[in-house]
Short mmCIF file of all heavy atoms in Angstrom, two decimals:
data_model
loop_
_atom_site.label_atom_id
_atom_site.label_comp_id
_atom_site.label_asym_id
_atom_site.label_seq_id
_atom_site.Cartn_x
_atom_site.Cartn_y
_atom_site.Cartn_z
N THR A 222 7.41 23.74 -1.24
CA THR A 222 6.26 23.18 -0.57
C THR A 222 6.05 23.82 0.84
O THR A 222 4.99 23.89 1.32
CB THR A 222 6.16 21.64 -0.47
OG1 THR A 222 7.35 21.20 0.24
CG2 THR A 222 6.15 21.07 -1.86
N MET A 223 7.19 24.29 1.34
CA MET A 223 7.03 24.99 2.75
C MET A 223 6.05 26.23 2.58
O MET A 223 5.34 26.57 3.46
CB MET A 223 8.38 25.54 3.15
CG MET A 223 9.20 24.44 3.66
SD MET A 223 10.69 24.94 4.58
CE MET A 223 11.56 25.86 3.29
N GLY A 224 6.24 27.01 1.45
CA GLY A 224 5.40 28.14 1.15
C GLY A 224 3.92 27.80 0.82
O GLY A 224 3.05 28.47 1.35
N LEU A 225 3.79 26.78 0.12
CA LEU A 225 2.52 26.31 -0.40
C LEU A 225 1.78 25.90 0.92
O LEU A 225 0.54 26.28 1.26
CB LEU A 225 2.61 25.13 -1.30
CG LEU A 225 3.25 25.34 -2.60
CD1 LEU A 225 3.43 24.10 -3.41
CD2 LEU A 225 2.64 26.45 -3.41
N GLU A 226 2.50 25.09 1.79
CA GLU A 226 1.85 24.47 3.03
C GLU A 226 1.50 25.73 3.98
O GLU A 226 0.48 25.57 4.56
CB GLU A 226 2.94 23.59 3.56
CG GLU A 226 2.46 22.35 4.24
CD GLU A 226 3.65 21.50 4.64
OE1 GLU A 226 4.11 20.78 3.86
OE2 GLU A 226 4.03 21.47 5.74
N LEU A 227 2.33 26.49 4.09
CA LEU A 227 2.17 27.59 5.12
C LEU A 227 0.89 28.42 4.66
O LEU A 227 0.04 28.76 5.65
CB LEU A 227 3.36 28.66 5.18
CG LEU A 227 3.32 29.61 6.15
CD1 LEU A 227 3.27 29.12 7.59
CD2 LEU A 227 4.57 30.57 5.93
N ALA A 228 0.76 28.77 3.39
CA ALA A 228 -0.48 29.46 2.86
C ALA A 228 -1.73 28.67 3.26
O ALA A 228 -2.66 29.23 3.71
CB ALA A 228 -0.36 29.84 1.48
N ALA A 229 -1.73 27.38 3.04
CA ALA A 229 -2.86 26.49 3.25
C ALA A 229 -3.19 26.51 4.70
O ALA A 229 -4.30 26.67 5.17
CB ALA A 229 -2.70 25.18 2.68
N GLN A 230 -2.13 26.33 5.49
CA GLN A 230 -2.36 26.21 7.03
C GLN A 230 -2.98 27.41 7.56
O GLN A 230 -3.59 27.34 8.58
CB GLN A 230 -1.04 25.80 7.64
CG GLN A 230 -0.58 24.38 7.50
CD GLN A 230 0.76 24.12 8.09
OE1 GLN A 230 1.84 24.82 7.73
NE2 GLN A 230 0.88 23.27 9.07
N LEU A 231 -2.55 28.62 7.05
CA LEU A 231 -2.99 29.86 7.57
C LEU A 231 -4.40 30.32 6.95
O LEU A 231 -4.83 31.39 7.05
CB LEU A 231 -2.00 30.96 7.42
CG LEU A 231 -0.68 30.75 8.19
CD1 LEU A 231 0.32 31.85 7.87
CD2 LEU A 231 -1.03 30.68 9.69
N GLY A 232 -5.05 29.41 6.12
CA GLY A 232 -6.28 29.63 5.56
C GLY A 232 -6.11 30.59 4.23
O GLY A 232 -6.91 31.65 4.06
N TRP A 233 -5.18 30.39 3.40
CA TRP A 233 -4.74 31.14 2.22
C TRP A 233 -4.55 32.72 2.46
O TRP A 233 -5.08 33.60 1.88
CB TRP A 233 -6.05 30.92 1.27
CG TRP A 233 -6.31 29.57 1.02
CD1 TRP A 233 -7.32 28.82 1.46
CD2 TRP A 233 -5.29 28.57 0.41
NE1 TRP A 233 -7.20 27.42 1.10
CE2 TRP A 233 -5.88 27.36 0.40
CE3 TRP A 233 -4.02 28.73 -0.19
CZ2 TRP A 233 -5.32 26.21 -0.03
CZ3 TRP A 233 -3.35 27.53 -0.68
CH2 TRP A 233 -4.03 26.34 -0.56
N ARG A 234 -3.68 32.85 3.44
CA ARG A 234 -3.09 34.13 3.61
C ARG A 234 -1.66 33.90 4.23
O ARG A 234 -1.32 32.86 4.56
CB ARG A 234 -3.87 34.96 4.64
CG ARG A 234 -4.31 34.32 5.99
CD ARG A 234 -4.93 35.23 6.83
NE ARG A 234 -4.78 34.59 8.19
CZ ARG A 234 -3.63 34.68 8.94
NH1 ARG A 234 -2.62 35.38 8.65
NH2 ARG A 234 -3.57 33.86 10.14
N LEU A 235 -0.87 34.88 4.24
CA LEU A 235 0.56 34.80 4.67
C LEU A 235 0.73 35.56 5.89
O LEU A 235 -0.01 36.52 6.20
CB LEU A 235 1.41 35.27 3.59
CG LEU A 235 1.23 34.36 2.25
CD1 LEU A 235 2.06 35.02 1.09
CD2 LEU A 235 1.62 32.93 2.48
N PRO A 236 1.77 35.22 6.80
CA PRO A 236 2.02 36.05 7.86
C PRO A 236 2.61 37.27 7.53
O PRO A 236 3.05 37.50 6.39
CB PRO A 236 3.04 35.16 8.67
CG PRO A 236 3.67 34.28 7.63
CD PRO A 236 2.66 34.18 6.44
N LYS A 237 2.85 38.24 8.58
CA LYS A 237 3.59 39.45 8.35
C LYS A 237 4.97 39.27 8.11
O LYS A 237 5.59 40.11 7.37
CB LYS A 237 3.30 40.37 9.66
CG LYS A 237 2.05 41.18 9.55
CD LYS A 237 2.45 42.61 9.16
CE LYS A 237 1.38 43.56 8.60
NZ LYS A 237 0.34 43.82 9.69
N ALA A 238 5.60 38.30 8.73
CA ALA A 238 7.04 38.24 8.65
C ALA A 238 7.41 36.78 8.74
O ALA A 238 6.73 35.97 9.39
CB ALA A 238 7.70 38.99 9.89
N ILE A 239 8.49 36.38 7.97
CA ILE A 239 8.96 35.12 8.04
C ILE A 239 10.55 35.20 8.31
O ILE A 239 11.18 36.06 7.61
CB ILE A 239 8.94 34.38 6.65
CG1 ILE A 239 7.40 34.00 6.44
CG2 ILE A 239 9.82 33.17 6.52
CD1 ILE A 239 7.05 33.26 5.13
N PHE A 240 10.94 34.44 9.33
CA PHE A 240 12.44 34.48 9.68
C PHE A 240 13.03 33.08 9.21
O PHE A 240 12.62 32.11 9.71
CB PHE A 240 12.64 34.72 11.11
CG PHE A 240 12.24 35.99 11.68
CD1 PHE A 240 10.88 36.45 11.80
CD2 PHE A 240 13.24 36.93 11.83
CE1 PHE A 240 10.64 37.65 12.21
CE2 PHE A 240 12.97 38.20 12.30
CZ PHE A 240 11.61 38.67 12.41
N TYR A 241 13.93 33.17 8.14
CA TYR A 241 14.48 32.00 7.60
C TYR A 241 15.90 31.87 7.85
O TYR A 241 16.68 32.77 7.45
CB TYR A 241 14.20 31.96 6.14
CG TYR A 241 14.60 30.72 5.51
CD1 TYR A 241 13.64 29.65 5.65
CD2 TYR A 241 15.74 30.51 4.71
CE1 TYR A 241 14.10 28.45 4.91
CE2 TYR A 241 16.03 29.34 4.18
CZ TYR A 241 15.20 28.29 4.38
OH TYR A 241 15.56 27.10 3.79
N PRO A 242 16.39 30.82 8.41
CA PRO A 242 17.91 30.55 8.69
C PRO A 242 18.48 30.26 7.25
O PRO A 242 18.28 29.25 6.60
CB PRO A 242 17.86 29.31 9.58
CG PRO A 242 16.70 28.55 9.35
CD PRO A 242 15.67 29.53 8.81
N THR A 243 19.36 31.19 6.80
CA THR A 243 19.79 31.17 5.35
C THR A 243 21.10 30.66 5.26
O THR A 243 22.16 31.27 5.76
CB THR A 243 19.69 32.60 4.88
OG1 THR A 243 18.37 33.14 5.04
CG2 THR A 243 19.95 32.62 3.36
N GLY A 244 21.33 29.56 4.58
CA GLY A 244 22.61 28.98 4.08
C GLY A 244 22.70 29.22 2.60
O GLY A 244 22.95 30.39 2.08
N GLY A 245 22.36 28.19 1.84
CA GLY A 245 22.24 28.32 0.45
C GLY A 245 21.04 29.01 -0.04
O GLY A 245 20.90 29.54 -1.22
#
Side-chain angles (χ1 to χ4, degrees):
T222 59
M223 288 193 292
L225 302 174
E226 217 172 276
L227 185 60
Q230 284 175 300
L231 295 177
W233 306 110
R234 51 176 197 84
L235 300 173
K237 267 265 164 61
I239 286 179
F240 289 80
Y241 187 79
T243 306

